[in-house]
Amino acid sequence: AVVSTQSTGNLVCFVFILLSATIICVKTRRSAERTGQKRNKATRKRNRDLEMRIVVIVATDFICWVPFIIICFLHNQEVVDVSGWYHAIALIILPLNSLINPLIYDKTITSFCQNKAKKIAENVDWSAIEAIRDRVNSNTRSSKAFSRQSSNLTGDSPKSKNQADSNC
């Protein structure tokens, strides 16, 4: 009975989060339309970022909580016995959601990661990578040319399609 109450309560909480997130997105769009900011690029970008963050929050909640809710429901209906797994799921999977949420909510972490990725890309010696790529490409071309020359020297030149068909 405890599992049933918890799964129902968790489902109600998830539905509440989903509805709240949907209302936030709708109200944000309506507010932009009412104030004439709908065509403003900066406002559209800010709203898109907000909507994307909300989608990620709801998606991570869904990934972490809905399987737990389903497992609890199936356990309550005596379809599966998860008595041994219940505590492991509750102590390992569900806290992951609590770990992920602050990272999603905090815009500074997102911008920090983006800035670090840019700095890493700026510090990469792309000329060395291009030199390696060019060397690999030239070695590939050289080996193809070598195999053509060696087959011409041995008389093993590739036969035309008609010659190959006549030998069958």
PDB file of all heavy atoms in Angstrom, residues 78-94:
ATOM      1  N   GLU A  78       0.933  -6.523  -8.452  1.00  0.00           N
ATOM      2  CA  GLU A  78       1.527  -7.843  -8.305  1.00  0.00           C
ATOM      3  C   GLU A  78       1.912  -8.474  -9.643  1.00  0.00           C
ATOM      4  O   GLU A  78       1.901  -9.690  -9.813  1.00  0.00           O
ATOM      5  CB  GLU A  78       0.625  -8.761  -7.487  1.00  0.00           C
ATOM      6  CG  GLU A  78       0.415  -8.258  -6.074  1.00  0.00           C
ATOM      7  CD  GLU A  78      -0.505  -9.138  -5.247  1.00  0.00           C
ATOM      8  OE1 GLU A  78      -1.024 -10.145  -5.770  1.00  0.00           O
ATOM      9  OE2 GLU A  78      -0.699  -8.809  -4.068  1.00  0.00           O
ATOM     10  N   VAL A  79       2.285  -7.615 -10.604  1.00  0.00           N
ATOM     11  CA  VAL A  79       2.782  -8.094 -11.889  1.00  0.00           C
ATOM     12  C   VAL A  79       4.258  -8.460 -11.752  1.00  0.00           C
ATOM     13  O   VAL A  79       4.718  -9.450 -12.302  1.00  0.00           O
ATOM     14  CB  VAL A  79       2.580  -7.017 -12.990  1.00  0.00           C
ATOM     15  CG1 VAL A  79       3.199  -7.436 -14.304  1.00  0.00           C
ATOM     16  CG2 VAL A  79       1.097  -6.708 -13.152  1.00  0.00           C
ATOM     17  N   VAL A  80       5.000  -7.629 -11.021  1.00  0.00           N
ATOM     18  CA  VAL A  80       6.413  -7.891 -10.741  1.00  0.00           C
ATOM     19  C   VAL A  80       6.669  -7.674  -9.251  1.00  0.00           C
ATOM     20  O   VAL A  80       5.951  -6.930  -8.593  1.00  0.00           O
ATOM     21  CB  VAL A  80       7.352  -6.971 -11.564  1.00  0.00           C
ATOM     22  CG1 VAL A  80       7.270  -7.252 -13.031  1.00  0.00           C
ATOM     23  CG2 VAL A  80       7.072  -5.515 -11.281  1.00  0.00           C
ATOM     24  N   ASP A  81       7.717  -8.318  -8.777  1.00  0.00           N
ATOM     25  CA  ASP A  81       8.105  -8.118  -7.378  1.00  0.00           C
ATOM     26  C   ASP A  81       9.426  -7.352  -7.371  1.00  0.00           C
ATOM     27  O   ASP A  81      10.461  -7.882  -7.770  1.00  0.00           O
ATOM     28  CB  ASP A  81       8.268  -9.457  -6.668  1.00  0.00           C
ATOM     29  CG  ASP A  81       8.631  -9.278  -5.197  1.00  0.00           C
ATOM     30  OD1 ASP A  81       8.356  -8.200  -4.636  1.00  0.00           O
ATOM     31  OD2 ASP A  81       9.200 -10.219  -4.626  1.00  0.00           O
ATOM     32  N   VAL A  82       9.369  -6.104  -6.960  1.00  0.00           N
ATOM     33  CA  VAL A  82      10.563  -5.263  -6.935  1.00  0.00           C
ATOM     34  C   VAL A  82      10.990  -4.932  -5.516  1.00  0.00           C
ATOM     35  O   VAL A  82      11.684  -3.951  -5.281  1.00  0.00           O
ATOM     36  CB  VAL A  82      10.346  -3.956  -7.738  1.00  0.00           C
ATOM     37  CG1 VAL A  82      10.226  -4.226  -9.215  1.00  0.00           C
ATOM     38  CG2 VAL A  82       9.166  -3.183  -7.215  1.00  0.00           C
ATOM     39  N   SER A  83      10.579  -5.758  -4.585  1.00  0.00           N
ATOM     40  CA  SER A  83      10.904  -5.506  -3.180  1.00  0.00           C
ATOM     41  C   SER A  83      12.407  -5.334  -2.975  1.00  0.00           C
ATOM     42  O   SER A  83      12.843  -4.456  -2.237  1.00  0.00           O
ATOM     43  CB  SER A  83      10.402  -6.648  -2.296  1.00  0.00           C
ATOM     44  OG  SER A  83       9.013  -6.773  -2.417  1.00  0.00           O
ATOM     45  N   GLY A  84      13.199  -6.146  -3.625  1.00  0.00           N
ATOM     46  CA  GLY A  84      14.648  -6.062  -3.492  1.00  0.00           C
ATOM     47  C   GLY A  84      15.253  -4.882  -4.224  1.00  0.00           C
ATOM     48  O   GLY A  84      16.329  -4.413  -3.870  1.00  0.00           O
ATOM     49  N   TRP A  85      14.582  -4.406  -5.247  1.00  0.00           N
ATOM     50  CA  TRP A  85      15.115  -3.328  -6.073  1.00  0.00           C
ATOM     51  C   TRP A  85      14.601  -1.960  -5.683  1.00  0.00           C
ATOM     52  O   TRP A  85      15.167  -0.944  -6.069  1.00  0.00           O
ATOM     53  CB  TRP A  85      14.763  -3.581  -7.539  1.00  0.00           C
ATOM     54  CG  TRP A  85      15.506  -4.730  -8.105  1.00  0.00           C
ATOM     55  CD1 TRP A  85      15.106  -6.029  -8.146  1.00  0.00           C
ATOM     56  CD2 TRP A  85      16.799  -4.690  -8.680  1.00  0.00           C
ATOM     57  NE1 TRP A  85      16.053  -6.810  -8.727  1.00  0.00           N
ATOM     58  CE2 TRP A  85      17.112  -6.002  -9.078  1.00  0.00           C
ATOM     59  CE3 TRP A  85      17.716  -3.682  -8.913  1.00  0.00           C
ATOM     60  CZ2 TRP A  85      18.314  -6.320  -9.683  1.00  0.00           C
ATOM     61  CZ3 TRP A  85      18.917  -4.005  -9.519  1.00  0.00           C
ATOM     62  CH2 TRP A  85      19.200  -5.309  -9.895  1.00  0.00           C
ATOM     63  N   TYR A  86      13.543  -1.922  -4.947  1.00  0.00           N
ATOM     64  CA  TYR A  86      12.878  -0.646  -4.639  1.00  0.00           C
ATOM     65  C   TYR A  86      13.843   0.359  -4.016  1.00  0.00           C
ATOM     66  O   TYR A  86      13.931   1.508  -4.450  1.00  0.00           O
ATOM     67  CB  TYR A  86      11.681  -0.893  -3.719  1.00  0.00           C
ATOM     68  CG  TYR A  86      10.973   0.374  -3.331  1.00  0.00           C
ATOM     69  CD1 TYR A  86      10.107   0.998  -4.213  1.00  0.00           C
ATOM     70  CD2 TYR A  86      11.189   0.962  -2.095  1.00  0.00           C
ATOM     71  CE1 TYR A  86       9.469   2.173  -3.871  1.00  0.00           C
ATOM     72  CE2 TYR A  86      10.546   2.128  -1.735  1.00  0.00           C
ATOM     73  CZ  TYR A  86       9.693   2.730  -2.627  1.00  0.00           C
ATOM     74  OH  TYR A  86       9.062   3.887  -2.293  1.00  0.00           O
ATOM     75  N   HIS A  87      14.582  -0.078  -3.019  1.00  0.00           N
ATOM     76  CA  HIS A  87      15.485   0.844  -2.331  1.00  0.00           C
ATOM     77  C   HIS A  87      16.648   1.260  -3.223  1.00  0.00           C
ATOM     78  O   HIS A  87      17.088   2.412  -3.166  1.00  0.00           O
ATOM     79  CB  HIS A  87      15.990   0.234  -1.019  1.00  0.00           C
ATOM     80  CG  HIS A  87      14.886   0.031  -0.032  1.00  0.00           C
ATOM     81  ND1 HIS A  87      14.254   1.083   0.581  1.00  0.00           N
ATOM     82  CD2 HIS A  87      14.285  -1.086   0.423  1.00  0.00           C
ATOM     83  CE1 HIS A  87      13.310   0.616   1.382  1.00  0.00           C
ATOM     84  NE2 HIS A  87      13.305  -0.699   1.305  1.00  0.00           N
ATOM     85  N   ALA A  88      17.152   0.349  -4.035  1.00  0.00           N
ATOM     86  CA  ALA A  88      18.257   0.693  -4.943  1.00  0.00           C
ATOM     87  C   ALA A  88      17.814   1.763  -5.942  1.00  0.00           C
ATOM     88  O   ALA A  88      18.539   2.719  -6.206  1.00  0.00           O
ATOM     89  CB  ALA A  88      18.742  -0.559  -5.673  1.00  0.00           C
ATOM     90  N   ILE A  89      16.615   1.599  -6.494  1.00  0.00           N
ATOM     91  CA  ILE A  89      16.084   2.586  -7.444  1.00  0.00           C
ATOM     92  C   ILE A  89      15.885   3.921  -6.745  1.00  0.00           C
ATOM     93  O   ILE A  89      16.281   4.968  -7.257  1.00  0.00           O
ATOM     94  CB  ILE A  89      14.764   2.090  -8.070  1.00  0.00           C
ATOM     95  CG1 ILE A  89      15.019   0.870  -8.953  1.00  0.00           C
ATOM     96  CG2 ILE A  89      14.107   3.194  -8.878  1.00  0.00           C
ATOM     97  CD1 ILE A  89      13.765   0.147  -9.376  1.00  0.00           C
ATOM     98  N   ALA A  90      15.293   3.872  -5.558  1.00  0.00           N
ATOM     99  CA  ALA A  90      15.011   5.105  -4.825  1.00  0.00           C
ATOM    100  C   ALA A  90      16.283   5.806  -4.374  1.00  0.00           C
ATOM    101  O   ALA A  90      16.307   7.032  -4.270  1.00  0.00           O
ATOM    102  CB  ALA A  90      14.116   4.803  -3.623  1.00  0.00           C
ATOM    103  N   LEU A  91      17.340   5.059  -4.139  1.00  0.00           N
ATOM    104  CA  LEU A  91      18.575   5.657  -3.633  1.00  0.00           C
ATOM    105  C   LEU A  91      19.598   5.981  -4.722  1.00  0.00           C
ATOM    106  O   LEU A  91      20.530   6.748  -4.474  1.00  0.00           O
ATOM    107  CB  LEU A  91      19.223   4.738  -2.597  1.00  0.00           C
ATOM    108  CG  LEU A  91      18.413   4.548  -1.307  1.00  0.00           C
ATOM    109  CD1 LEU A  91      19.065   3.492  -0.424  1.00  0.00           C
ATOM    110  CD2 LEU A  91      18.272   5.856  -0.559  1.00  0.00           C
ATOM    111  N   ILE A  92      19.438   5.428  -5.909  1.00  0.00           N
ATOM    112  CA  ILE A  92      20.421   5.666  -6.977  1.00  0.00           C
ATOM    113  C   ILE A  92      19.832   6.488  -8.123  1.00  0.00           C
ATOM    114  O   ILE A  92      20.365   7.534  -8.483  1.00  0.00           O
ATOM    115  CB  ILE A  92      20.981   4.328  -7.508  1.00  0.00           C
ATOM    116  CG1 ILE A  92      21.753   3.631  -6.393  1.00  0.00           C
ATOM    117  CG2 ILE A  92      21.880   4.556  -8.710  1.00  0.00           C
ATOM    118  CD1 ILE A  92      22.169   2.231  -6.718  1.00  0.00           C
ATOM    119  N   ILE A  93      18.739   6.029  -8.713  1.00  0.00           N
ATOM    120  CA  ILE A  93      18.199   6.679  -9.914  1.00  0.00           C
ATOM    121  C   ILE A  93      17.526   8.011  -9.601  1.00  0.00           C
ATOM    122  O   ILE A  93      17.774   8.998 -10.269  1.00  0.00           O
ATOM    123  CB  ILE A  93      17.235   5.727 -10.650  1.00  0.00           C
ATOM    124  CG1 ILE A  93      18.017   4.517 -11.154  1.00  0.00           C
ATOM    125  CG2 ILE A  93      16.544   6.435 -11.803  1.00  0.00           C
ATOM    126  CD1 ILE A  93      17.192   3.457 -11.786  1.00  0.00           C
ATOM    127  N   LEU A  94      16.690   8.044  -8.595  1.00  0.00           N
ATOM    128  CA  LEU A  94      15.958   9.277  -8.300  1.00  0.00           C
ATOM    129  C   LEU A  94      16.862  10.434  -7.873  1.00  0.00           C
ATOM    130  O   LEU A  94      16.627  11.567  -8.299  1.00  0.00           O
ATOM    131  CB  LEU A  94      14.874   9.003  -7.255  1.00  0.00           C
ATOM    132  CG  LEU A  94      13.804   8.006  -7.707  1.00  0.00           C
ATOM    133  CD1 LEU A  94      12.760   7.832  -6.619  1.00  0.00           C
ATOM    134  CD2 LEU A  94      13.166   8.422  -9.011  1.00  0.00           C
TER     135      LEU A  94
END
